[in-house]
Amino acid sequence: MPVTSAGVESEHAVLQAVLSAATAFLRSSELTDNLHTLLSDIGTATGASRACIYESESSPGITLAGPLLRAEWTAPGMDAVIAPARLQPATPAGMDLAPWYTALRTGEPFAGVVTDASGVLSMAAAPIFVDEDIWGVIGLADRATPRTWTSVEVEALSAAAVVVGAAIRRRRMEAALREATVKAQLAADIGEVVTRAGDTIQQMLEACSAAIVNRLQPDLVRIWMMSEDLECLLACAASGAASIQQTDGPELELATPELLAIARSSGPIMWRDGLPALWPGCEEVYREAGLRAGVGFPLVTNGRVAGVAIMLSREDLTRAAIDALESVTDEIALAIERHHAEGAYTRIEGRYRRLVAATVEGIVIHDGKRVVDANPSFAAMLGYTLAEVIGMHPFDFIAPEYHDVVRANLISNYQKPYEVEGIHRDGTRFPVELKGSDYFDQGMKLRVAAVRDISDRRAVQRAAEQLREEQLAREAAERTRAQAEFLDQASRILASSLDTSTTLKQLAHLAIPALADYCVVSTVDEGFVERVAVVHADPAREQLLRETVSTWPEVFPDSHPIFAALSANRSYLASDVSDEVVRTLAVTPEHLEHLRALGARSVVAVPISSAGVIMGSIIMSSTQPGRRYGDDDLALAEEFAHRAALALQAARSYHRSQAASRARDEMLAIVAHDLRNPLNAILMGSELALELSAPDAPGVRQLGIIRRSAEHMNGLIRDLLDASRIDSGHMELERSLLAPADLLREAYDMLAPLAAHETIDLSLDIAAELPPVSVDRGRLLQVLSNLVGNALKFTPKSGAICVSARSAYDDAAGGGTVRISVSDTGSGIPGDQLPHIFARGWQGRRGDRRGIGLGLAIATGIVEAHGGRIWAESKVGEGSTFMFTLPAEGV
């Protein structure tokens, strides 16, 4: 058929319609409007009566019997088709649609004539591919007359299918990108929350639930945390529906069977068109918020359930939202697990601190490149002399993988404790805790850091972790009352004294005759072996036992059965000691004669060890034919040695800690003395400069700041020294007999200007005829200054502070006292904080930088040194009253 000008224009219009559609899709990913525009343009250009796009219900593949109509255009006067027609072959023409279906499945377009119930229908269609799958079909239909579709029209239809496929693929990619972005943002939000310092677990989980609601837009998110005993779920956080806030409070057990089923599941549980009863009263929340769909995830880490997270919505949740929530469940579970671990760690830390009174601590000052100064403990900790340490690079003592962390903390002046690995001179590594802060000395920025070897703490932690596991094994050795009484008595002996030589001798006597007829206890400390106890049940044979022990060589051969086992931290048991066994135990002919004379019938030897470190041994023997050692006796002996190890370790740690405390106090005194000289020079210089300067001269304000800062630093040094003296029991008092009224008035005159500056009313209320008190005037003024200064910090402007004094009888002191009170109208102290306010380091407000938390602790030490006591009473919103007593003279 010849191509007419009208045909050329029609073909041009068809191609132009496809080009316009491609341009539109390039400019915008909006699908619906662009599809309608494409169908309208191509339908109009081809003169078709209908143009449409179907999306396949199943992919890959296409079936014309049940696709979804996504877009449709009809020519004027034609009815739109709501549902797709079911095509049948045209009987007169003998058409068969099977080839058309085959063409579609292979990606080929088709064109032809079919008939349906309404008459002739000319059709052309092309498959729409997205990636390598058939997404659907774009088609043209003409109901007017049978027609032959031109190759240009069919090719244009195929091109339009390519354009639509590309647009759909682009939309999918954009949707995937949006979903990935949301997932990444949620992961970043959760990561920031769970790594944020200072938050409680409640605050952390609340922030996590809020982040999930913010990013994924569900109607409600709830998180339950598994209790530390792994026995119940605790309701911890909720975000979304407002009514949830009235249903329960934090840490309330609200677990239901449905909720526990989620915790025990291996994956998410989803709900559509109906939610189960997840917590008591949830039905009212569902009704008020219109919730009907959701998903629940178990929070699992290391195979243990840490909690449950649920996300509920009014509509079905998208797969992307569910995937995004699933992507952060591990991190939330780890955060909960870390909370439990920190709680366990805190308890272990408490046990450790009861075993040892203090730790060995090093102090080092450096400029980031070289050590400027250090104390002997720091050098000894690392295996150097003090002279060798000075001038070395501070990173020489830190494992390389921690350099970046330490460098970042130096740059940011990080002042909280953190842990790294130190390197000993011999190359061995050990865990240390660092805590430092920057200061300036003659214009040079320096950093002073406290370095604590926490190897013992780690060992105690490991020992505490093993304690529960070993408890089950020890129960078998404590089945009888005699064994239990024996171990109990052994524990009392071990706890009675830190003199290990005395207690171990008592233990040896305790073992006779309960466990053995003779016993030898040895200790090992830094390679030195000492036989601390050699005891025999028969006093007449004890000398023979001592002579036998004296024949032992300093170093036993590696093949010796007992000492080979002890050296490997293993026990040795010989239930039946034959003469052959005796010969293997003897190291010399003389030793053999002694062993035969002792007449051992059964022998057990156990090491005294803790955390793999051998500290000694216990060797016991029975000479009675009727008593042969077995597994139960071995278990009892090992428990006996285990308790001895704990006592020995505690004693050694105590003695080391005492030495460390003395070294720390000496270093603190030296540092304080050396700091006070330049501070006094700064004070004198700044005061002289202020006196010589006119009030309005440049720099006067800065000189005032320098003077006040130096005074503040001088006060901090004084507080540190006072705290150290109190700890060591060296608080010295210069007592004199004073009238309480004179003392309080002197304090009032000293503190009244400060109160006036803060517009706070400071008053005195002194009872008449108070008895005199024998006190250190300067120290008592220090107590009053600390208490009134504390009240000034926490009393708002226009508030009031009253200092009063009354006579009182103190039952605890057993006599008359003078009770002095400092009352304020401040914000008060919460009840849960009252038990801790006199502890060192306590501060009334988080982040308060007006002190270092020693004031009340020092006040307590001074009052108690005078034989008095101090306490506080407070109501939030009404104020606080701090009271202390002083023994009265002549009452």
Side-chain angles (χ1 to χ4, degrees):
M1 177 183 294
V3 179
T4 64
S5 59
V8 171
E9 292 176 0
S10 174
E11 293 176 352
H12 177 74
V14 171
L15 296 174
Q16 185 61 41
V18 176
L19 179 60
S20 297
T23 303
F25 280 123
L26 284 174
R27 292 175 178 171
S28 171
S29 62
E30 204 290 325
L31 192 61
T32 303
D33 289 345
N34 286 342
L35 288 179
H36 282 288
T37 301
L38 170 63
L39 295 178
S40 175
D41 290 349
I42 199 170
T44 301
T46 59
S49 57
R50 181 171 179 260
C52 56
I53 292 178
Y54 290 103
E55 179 183 355
S56 173
E57 286 185 327
S58 60
S59 181
I62 185 72
T63 60
L64 294 180
L68 301 175
L69 183 61
R70 288 297 303 271
E72 181 185 22
W73 169 87
T74 57
M78 300 296 294
D79 294 331
V81 177
I82 303 304
R86 295 182 177 274
L87 303 181
Q88 299 294 333
T91 304
M95 299 289 293
D96 182 6
L97 290 181
W100 293 7
Y101 298 154
T102 302
L104 278 177
R105 294 190 184 97
T106 57
E108 296 294 330
F110 68 86
V113 178
V114 296
T115 60
D116 62 9
S118 62
V120 177
L121 179 65
S122 297
M123 294 184 60
I128 299 172
F129 279 86
V130 177
D131 294 325
E132 295 182 358
D133 295 329
I134 296 179
W135 175 85
V137 176
I138 181 171
L140 296 170
D142 191 343
R143 290 184 177 274
T145 59
R147 65 180 285 179
T148 301
W149 303 93
T150 68
S151 60
V152 173
E153 290 171 332
V154 174
E155 290 173 0
L157 196 61
S158 296
V162 172
V163 170
V164 173
I168 293 170
R169 183 174 182 272
R170 173 186 174 184
R171 191 177 186 189
R172 286 184 178 177
M173 292 176 64
E174 290 177 348
L177 180 59
R178 287 193 299 272
E179 293 168 0
T181 301
V182 170
K183 183 183 290 187
Q185 290 170 337
L186 177 61
D189 292 345
I190 297 298
E192 179 183 357
V193 168
V194 300
T195 57
R196 188 164 57 209
D199 283 358
T200 64
I201 185 64
Q202 176 72 23
Q203 292 169 333
M204 185 273 290
L205 292 179
E206 287 176 353
C208 286
S209 62
I212 295 169
V213 169
N214 179 53
R215 293 297 181 186
L216 305 184
Q217 300 298 308
D219 294 294
L220 175 63
V221 169
R222 294 208 68 184
I223 299 176
W224 282 266
M225 177 182 71
M226 186 65 74
S227 61
E228 292 192 34
D229 56 13
L230 303 180
E231 292 185 355
C232 64
L233 289 167
L234 306 176
C236 285
S239 186
S243 60
I244 192 66
Q245 307 304 330
Q246 284 79 45
T247 61
D248 53 75
E251 301 210 355
L252 180 64
E253 297 176 23
L254 292 174
T256 61
E258 290 78 6
L259 199 62
L260 292 174
I262 301 173
R264 298 187 183 103
S265 66
S266 59
I269 296 178
M270 299 180 61
W271 310 286
R272 291 187 176 89
D273 297 324
L275 297 170
L278 294 174
W279 68 90
C282 62
E283 292 82 359
E284 183 179 351
V285 176
Y286 297 164
R287 185 172 56 256
E288 291 180 1
L291 305 177
R292 68 174 188 81
V295 64
F297 281 95
L299 304 177
V300 181
T301 175
N302 296 324
R304 295 187 298 274
V305 177
V308 169
I310 66 166
M311 183 167 64
L312 307 181
S313 179
R314 297 179 178 89
E315 304 294 337
D316 286 347
L317 294 171
T318 64
R319 183 73 252 176
I322 295 173
D323 290 344
L325 176 58
E326 186 174 18
S327 69
V328 296
T329 55
D330 286 348
E331 197 161 5
I332 297 174
L334 284 172
I336 295 173
E337 185 77 4
R338 185 166 59 249
H339 163 73
H340 289 329
E342 288 171 354
Y345 175 82
T346 301
R347 290 190 294 275
I348 295 172
E349 178 75 7
R351 294 176 190 170
Y352 170 73
R353 292 190 180 279
R354 286 191 291 272
L355 288 174
V356 292
T359 58
V360 178
E361 208 168 56
I363 299 175
V364 59
I365 300 174
H366 64 87
D367 61 3
K369 298 180 179 179
R370 58 185 297 274
V371 174
V372 177
D373 201 0
N375 66 342
S377 295
F378 175 80
M381 182 190 306
L382 297 161
Y384 295 87
T385 66
L386 187 58
E388 290 173 329
V389 166
I390 305 301
M392 293 180 68
H393 198 290
F395 281 18
D396 290 343
F397 313 116
I398 299 172
E401 58 266 32
Y402 293 94
H403 286 184
D404 290 342
V405 173
V406 177
R407 188 176 292 108
N409 289 341
L410 293 180
I411 294 173
S412 64
N413 189 23
Y414 187 75
Q415 298 185 18
K416 295 181 179 180
Y418 63 101
E419 295 180 6
V420 299
E421 282 193 350
I423 299 180
H424 194 271
R425 184 173 191 166
D426 61 9
T428 59
R429 295 185 175 199
F430 61 100
V432 297
E433 182 185 86
L434 301 181
K435 182 181 180 182
S437 62
D438 294 345
Y439 73 99
F440 287 85
D441 183 14
Q442 298 180 352
M444 178 183 295
K445 180 181 177 181
L446 298 175
R447 187 171 182 86
V448 57
V451 184
R452 178 180 297 174
D453 182 350
I454 59 174
S455 300
D456 289 342
R457 185 170 73 190
R458 290 281 180 85
V460 171
Q461 290 169 0
R462 289 192 296 269
E465 292 169 358
Q466 296 170 357
L467 186 62
R468 181 174 178 81
E469 298 175 359
E470 296 171 353
Q471 185 68 30
L472 297 176
R474 290 195 298 270
E475 286 177 356
E478 297 177 358
R479 292 175 181 172
T480 65
R481 187 197 306 182
Q483 290 176 332
E485 292 177 351
F486 171 80
L487 292 174
D488 182 62
Q489 189 173 356
S491 296
R492 287 198 297 271
I493 291 174
L494 291 169
S496 64
S497 173
L498 289 173
D499 182 352
T500 55
S501 177
T502 300
T503 55
L504 291 177
K505 286 178 181 177
Q506 290 177 313
L507 284 181
H509 283 282
L510 177 64
I512 308 299
L515 288 181
D517 294 306
Y518 63 82
C519 176
V520 178
V521 181
S522 304
T523 60
V524 179
D525 191 5
E526 296 182 354
F528 177 73
V529 180
E530 180 183 3
R531 317 296 178 196
V532 295
V534 180
V535 182
H536 200 291
D538 184 357
R541 298 176 67 80
E542 187 166 303
Q543 182 59 35
L544 174 62
L545 177 62
R546 294 184 180 277
E547 292 175 358
T548 303
V549 172
S550 68
T551 63
W552 291 359
E554 291 186 6
V555 179
F556 278 81
D558 293 340
S559 59
H560 193 277
I562 292 180
F563 291 94
L566 294 177
S567 299
N569 201 14
R570 292 184 289 103
S571 300
Y572 172 84
L573 173 64
S575 298
D576 189 2
V577 178
S578 62
D579 190 67
E580 182 180 353
V581 173
V582 171
R583 285 195 297 272
T584 63
L585 298 179
V587 291
T588 64
E590 182 184 7
H591 188 203
L592 177 61
E593 291 180 8
H594 282 90
L595 288 178
R596 285 172 171 166
L598 285 172
R601 300 296 181 91
S602 193
V603 174
V604 63
V606 290
I608 301 175
S609 67
S610 178
V613 178
I614 299 173
M615 296 181 286
S617 65
I618 301 175
I619 301 175
M620 295 180 289
S621 178
S622 168
T623 61
Q624 302 175 23
R627 180 163 62 183
R628 295 285 191 271
Y629 293 138
D631 292 340
D632 288 347
D633 299 294
L634 176 61
L636 183 61
E638 288 176 340
E639 175 61 18
F640 187 39
H642 174 75
R643 299 191 182 197
L646 290 178
L648 190 58
Q649 183 184 38
R652 290 179 179 178
S653 297
Y654 172 78
H655 293 310
R656 287 196 294 267
S657 68
Q658 290 294 96
S661 295
R662 290 192 294 271
R664 180 200 63 194
D665 292 342
E666 293 172 1
M667 184 61 186
L668 185 60
I670 294 171
V671 171
H673 179 271
D674 290 347
L675 284 176
R676 275 185 165 172
N677 288 333
L679 277 178
N680 289 334
I682 293 172
L683 278 169
M684 295 174 61
S686 60
E687 289 175 355
L688 179 60
L690 284 170
E691 291 177 2
L692 297 177
S693 302
D696 57 349
V700 168
R701 179 174 175 273
Q702 286 72 21
L703 286 172
I705 294 173
I706 293 173
R707 184 189 65 187
R708 289 193 297 274
S709 298
E711 290 173 346
H712 180 63
M713 291 178 66
N714 210 18
L716 293 178
I717 293 173
R718 182 197 65 200
D719 287 348
L720 288 172
L721 289 173
D722 285 345
S724 178
R725 294 187 187 105
I726 290 171
D727 285 347
S728 60
H730 295 156
M731 171 67 74
E732 296 181 357
L733 301 177
E734 298 180 4
R735 293 178 181 263
S736 60
L737 203 61
L738 296 176
D742 294 341
L743 189 66
L744 265 62
R745 290 192 184 97
E746 183 176 357
Y748 175 85
D749 293 339
M750 178 176 63
L751 297 169
L754 295 176
H757 182 267
E758 299 292 335
T759 64
I760 293 175
D761 180 27
L762 178 64
S763 61
L764 292 177
D765 180 12
I766 306 173
E769 299 181 357
L770 291 175
V773 291
S774 177
V775 296
D776 185 318
R777 171 183 162 278
R779 290 298 186 183
L780 261 295
L781 287 175
Q782 184 179 357
V783 171
L784 290 168
S785 178
N786 283 350
L787 295 181
V788 175
N790 230 35
L792 287 171
K793 280 197 292 184
F794 300 107
T795 300
K797 292 184 182 297
S798 302
I801 300 173
C802 179
V803 182
S804 62
R806 296 285 188 274
S807 293
Y809 185 85
D810 192 334
D811 292 333
T817 66
V818 174
R819 186 176 67 193
I820 300 174
S821 305
V822 177
S823 302
D824 64 59
T825 59
S827 57
I829 303 170
D832 60 341
Q833 293 187 18
L834 273 177
H836 312 292
I837 60 175
F838 294 101
R840 180 180 298 182
W842 181 87
Q843 293 179 322
R845 296 172 182 161
R846 182 182 295 180
D848 197 320
R849 292 295 180 265
R850 290 170 288 182
I852 56 176
L854 293 178
L856 292 179
I858 293 173
T860 301
I862 294 174
V863 170
E864 291 178 350
H866 281 83
R869 65 187 184 93
I870 187 169
W871 72 97
E873 298 174 354
S874 181
K875 288 185 178 180
V876 175
E878 297 182 12
S880 304
T881 299
F882 285 78
M883 294 164 279
F884 66 92
T885 60
L886 297 172
E889 294 293 321
V891 178

